[in-house]
Amino acid sequence: MNTFLTIDVEEWFMVENLSTVISRENWHKYKSRVEKSVDKILELLDRYNSKATFFILGWVAERNKSLIKKIVEAGHEIASHGYSHSILTSMSDNEIKNDVVQTKMILEDISGYEIIGYRAPCFSITYNTIEILKDSGYRYDSSFFPFSMHDRYGKISGVKDNSINEIGNGFFEFPLTVRKVFNKKIPWSGGGYFRLYPFWLFKRGVREILREYNYFLLYLHPWEFDTNQPKVKGLKPFNSFRHYNNLDKTEDRFINLLKEFKFSSIKDCLK
C-alpha cells in the first residue's frame, strides 16, 4: 500500500501566511523552535514504526546541521524544499536553478547521501521547474496539488490524481492527495486541511482514497506540533485562522493515523 508521509521542515516564522508581518530579511531575529518539534515527530515515528520524507529548507539545514544528521540516523529520507521558501512563480528560471542546486549541495554535504527529491514552497511548481529538476540530478518531485482554488498552488499537465506518475525517463511526480466530493476535487492531504476537517471525516476519506487508488500522501509541518509558538499580531483574520486553527489537535490526530496506517518515505518506493 502506497501511504507516504512527508514533513516540510521550516521554522514557525517562515510560513507564507505570516509573511505580511514577518519579512525574510528579519528571520534571523526570531528564535528557532524547529528542533523540538522535529524531535517529537521522530519519537512518534519510531514508536509506531513508520518512515517519512523530510523536505528541508537549505536555510534551516545550514543552521541545524545536527538535526539533519539526527533525521538521517533515524532512517528517514532527506529531500529539498528549496533554500529560502521563495514562491517559484516569483522567480526566474536561473534563480530557480541556483536555488535547487544550492540546496541539493547543502543537504548532501550535511547528510552524506544523494538528494533525489524536491517539493516547491507552497506547492508553487511550474513545468519549467520540472525540467530544471531533471537537469539538476533530482529523480522526483512532490509539489503538484490538483486543487485549483488556491492562489499559490502551481500547475503541471499530464499528472493523474492520487497516483505515482512517471513524467519523464526515470523522473516521477508524487502529487498531493485529493478527494472528489460532488465531482469537485477537495484537498485531502494534510496541513491546514488536516486540522480543519472533522477528524472522523478525514480518516474515513483516507480509507476510501486508499481503497480506490492505493495511494495516500500526507504532509505536515513541525510548527503544527508547536502549540506554544509565539502568536503573531497584525495578520489578516483569514491568514490567522489558517495558521492557528486546531494546532492543539495536530499531535493526537497524527498519532491516531500512525496507529492505523503504516507510512513510508517516498524514496523507499523508488528503490
Side-chain angles (χ1 to χ4, degrees):
M1 187 173 291
N2 294 314
T3 47
F4 303 108
L5 173 61
T6 63
I7 309 294
D8 293 356
V9 181
E10 53 205 50
E11 292 279 5
W12 64 274
F13 49 80
M14 296 176 167
V15 181
E16 191 65 25
N17 287 326
L18 309 184
S19 63
T20 56
V21 176
I22 300 176
S23 67
R24 186 173 287 104
E25 291 73 21
N26 290 324
W27 281 357
H28 67 282
K29 298 179 181 179
Y30 294 90
K31 184 178 179 180
S32 173
R33 299 177 63 87
V34 71
E35 184 165 6
K36 185 177 180 180
S37 295
V38 171
D39 283 346
K40 182 183 296 183
I41 294 168
L42 290 175
E43 189 276 322
L44 292 173
L45 293 177
D46 181 65
R47 186 193 308 175
Y48 295 104
N49 194 30
S50 278
K51 298 297 182 183
T53 295
F54 287 76
F55 290 99
I56 302 175
L57 289 176
W59 193 99
V60 172
E62 286 182 325
R63 292 159 177 80
N64 296 273
K65 294 181 180 179
S66 62
L67 177 60
I68 308 309
K69 294 175 181 177
K70 191 185 304 182
I71 294 170
V72 172
E73 289 169 0
H76 304 287
E77 180 188 7
I78 300 292
S80 170
H81 196 30
Y83 185 80
S84 59
H85 212 256
S86 298
I87 294 178
L88 299 188
T89 50
S90 68
M91 302 167 67
S92 69
D93 285 354
N94 283 338
E95 288 172 331
I96 293 172
K97 174 76 173 182
N98 291 336
D99 183 276
V100 301
V101 170
Q102 177 191 17
T103 307
K104 192 175 192 292
M105 292 175 62
I106 290 169
L107 293 173
E108 288 180 342
D109 182 61
I110 297 171
S111 68
Y113 72 79
E114 183 183 13
I115 302 301
I116 65 170
Y118 176 79
R119 171 167 291 158
C122 299
F123 309 113
S124 57
I125 193 65
T126 67
Y127 184 77
N128 283 355
T129 303
I130 295 294
E131 296 305 309
I132 291 169
L133 293 173
K134 293 177 185 178
D135 292 340
S136 302
Y138 289 87
R139 287 185 57 202
Y140 76 83
D141 174 71
S142 182
S143 307
F144 180 56
F145 213 144
F147 175 59
S148 60
M149 297 174 63
H150 197 295
D151 57 343
R152 293 194 291 264
Y153 294 173
K155 295 177 177 62
I156 51 177
S157 60
V159 176
K160 294 181 180 179
D161 296 343
N162 302 338
S163 178
I164 302 169
N165 292 258
E166 186 168 6
I167 56 172
N169 187 19
F171 189 90
F172 297 86
E173 177 66 36
F174 290 77
L176 284 296
T177 309
V178 291
R179 185 184 182 200
K180 280 195 174 181
V181 178
F182 300 118
N183 212 33
K184 298 290 185 181
K185 296 179 184 180
I186 304 298
W188 216 271
S189 199
Y193 312 107
F194 178 66
R195 292 180 279 115
L196 175 64
Y197 302 153
F199 185 64
W200 65 267
L201 180 64
F202 184 86
K203 191 160 68 167
R204 188 175 77 179
V206 174
R207 294 191 194 107
E208 291 176 358
I209 290 165
L210 282 170
R211 278 197 298 269
E212 183 173 357
Y213 298 97
N214 189 33
Y215 178 99
F216 175 70
L217 191 150
L218 177 70
Y219 76 95
L220 294 167
H221 306 83
W223 57 264
E224 293 182 280
F225 292 79
D226 184 3
T227 56
N228 295 318
Q229 64 187 271
K231 191 72 178 285
V232 177
K233 298 179 180 179
L235 299 175
K236 294 179 180 180
F238 184 58
N239 286 347
S240 180
F241 174 78
R242 290 200 318 200
H243 186 77
Y244 295 110
N245 178 57
N246 286 338
L247 288 180
D248 59 331
K249 294 181 170 59
T250 302
E251 184 173 347
D252 286 342
R253 292 182 175 192
F254 184 52
I255 289 172
N256 198 305
L257 286 185
L258 291 175
K259 287 179 177 179
E260 181 166 346
F261 308 103
K262 184 175 180 178
F263 290 92
S264 66
S265 71
I266 294 176
K267 186 177 183 179
D268 286 341
C269 177
L270 295 178
K271 288 181 179 178

